[in-house]
Amino acid sequence: MQSAGSGWGNGLLGVIIFSGSLPATRVAVGGFSALFLTSARAVIAALIGVAVLGLLRQARPQRGDLASLTIVSLGVVVGFPLLTALALQHITSARSIVFIGLLPLATAIFAVLRGGERPKPLFWLFAVLGSATVAGFALSNGGAASLAGDLLMVAAIVLCGLGYAEGAALSRRLGGWQVISWALLLALPLMVPVAVWTLPSTWSGIGAPAWIGLAYVSVFSMFVGFIFWYRGLAIGGIARVGQLQQLQPFFGLALAGFLLHEPVAWSMIAATALVVVCVFFARRFA
């Protein structure tokens, strides 16, 4: 019971931290390009991870772990941050958060593919219903619609789900913060040149909100959040603790509305609520 409670507590903290990622990214892309934001946040987080790894004298991962760490790196270090930053140049953070409702489903699907689980037929029924809800919302005229932005968000969710499932399984042996630290270090040789190449031509026009957004996604979204999230999944179980992702759209919509003053239409809330219900039952029958 104590382990289960610790898993849920760590997972909830991770979800709350991640809920601010898209609003912070939305603010940051107002001053930085998507490529610079993606690479800069990875470099900053990697430097923190390397410092912690060295300070605590962590052993290097085994050679057999490199493939899994590469998947984690491609999914949550490069893929999701880059694709969401590109998407948020076309859509509002409130609209993008609706797609986060699919993240538990994406994580579950990759857990099935990687872990060999066999969900019941009802799992796929609710999975298809949830996906149809998001597709219908994306194709509607409500909100700041953009086909490019919506497709980028779908791709981001797929890669993030893969990174979550792979990282959660690996963290059972290496530890949560160790997994994200090594994944960040693995991506560092690529991210440093990209950050240098995409440096803003001038810094004078970049306001404080953009800098705050960059700081948040670098320190909290890219590092601190994963410490709690991967630890929660490892302790409490991917299938159980992963359900906490259902709360992320609600936290994110609240932040987008209250902090950024973005319009949160009733259709967004309704779509998010229906997706959360579908994901809940899909995970129940997983």
Side-chain angles (χ1 to χ4, degrees), residues 11-32:
L12 181 60
L13 283 174
V15 168
I16 292 174
I17 292 171
F18 290 151
S19 297
S21 298
L22 292 179
T25 300
R26 174 69 174 176
V27 172
V29 294
F32 304 104

Side-chain angles (χ1 to χ4, degrees), residues 91-163:
I91 59 178
T92 65
S93 62
R95 183 177 179 86
S96 69
I97 288 166
V98 176
F99 289 87
I100 299 300
L102 287 177
L103 190 50
L105 176 59
T107 306
I109 290 175
F110 283 111
V112 168
L113 295 176
R114 301 294 297 181
E117 299 178 5
R118 295 294 180 267
K120 300 176 182 179
L122 284 176
F123 168 85
W124 301 112
L125 172 63
F126 287 107
V128 171
L129 181 59
S131 299
T133 300
V134 173
F137 175 81
L139 295 175
S140 69
N141 294 323
S146 167
L147 180 59
D150 293 341
L151 291 177
L152 286 167
M153 281 303 305
V154 171
I157 293 303
V158 171
L159 286 178
C160 190
L162 175 59

Side-chain angles (χ1 to χ4, degrees), residues 71 96 174 206:
I71 293 175
S96 69
L174 298 182
I206 302 175

Side-chain angles (χ1 to χ4, degrees), residues 6-255:
S6 178
W8 280 91
N10 279 275
L12 181 60
L13 283 174
V15 168
I16 292 174
I17 292 171
F18 290 151
S19 297
S21 298
L22 292 179
T25 300
R26 174 69 174 176
V27 172
V29 294
F32 304 104
S33 69
L35 274 176
F36 177 77
L37 178 62
T38 301
S39 55
R41 66 187 281 182
V43 170
I44 295 171
L47 294 177
I48 298 174
V50 169
V52 177
L53 286 171
L55 183 64
L56 299 181
R57 299 182 179 181
Q58 295 295 297
R60 295 182 181 180
Q62 300 176 3
R63 182 172 298 181
D65 297 329
L66 291 179
S68 293
L69 286 172
T70 300
I71 293 175
V72 175
S73 183
L74 290 175
V76 302
V77 177
V78 180
F80 183 77
L82 176 60
L83 292 174
T84 53
L86 291 172
L88 287 167
Q89 293 179 337
H90 302 278
I91 59 178
T92 65
S93 62
R95 183 177 179 86
S96 69
I97 288 166
V98 176
F99 289 87
I100 299 300
L102 287 177
L103 190 50
L105 176 59
T107 306
I109 290 175
F110 283 111
V112 168
L113 295 176
R114 301 294 297 181
E117 299 178 5
R118 295 294 180 267
K120 300 176 182 179
L122 284 176
F123 168 85
W124 301 112
L125 172 63
F126 287 107
V128 171
L129 181 59
S131 299
T133 300
V134 173
F137 175 81
L139 295 175
S140 69
N141 294 323
S146 167
L147 180 59
D150 293 341
L151 291 177
L152 286 167
M153 281 303 305
V154 171
I157 293 303
V158 171
L159 286 178
C160 190
L162 175 59
Y164 277 177
E166 196 72 28
L170 191 58
S171 64
R172 290 170 177 167
R173 291 192 299 103
L174 298 182
W177 70 267
Q178 291 92 333
V179 167
I180 190 60
S181 296
W182 289 116
L184 287 163
L185 181 59
L186 193 62
L188 191 59
L190 173 63
M191 293 293 98
V192 169
V194 174
V196 174
W197 177 55
T198 57
L199 279 171
S201 57
T202 178
W203 304 94
S204 59
I206 302 175
W211 285 108
I212 294 173
L214 173 60
Y216 187 91
V217 297
S218 301
V219 177
F220 293 97
S221 303
M222 199 79 267
F223 187 76
V224 177
F226 280 100
I227 296 176
F228 297 107
W229 181 240
Y230 278 152
R231 178 175 172 80
L233 292 175
I235 295 176
I238 300 174
R240 292 187 295 273
V241 177
Q243 295 181 24
L244 288 171
Q245 293 175 99
Q246 300 165 18
L247 300 175
Q248 188 168 335
F250 293 108
F251 292 146
L253 285 173
L255 288 173

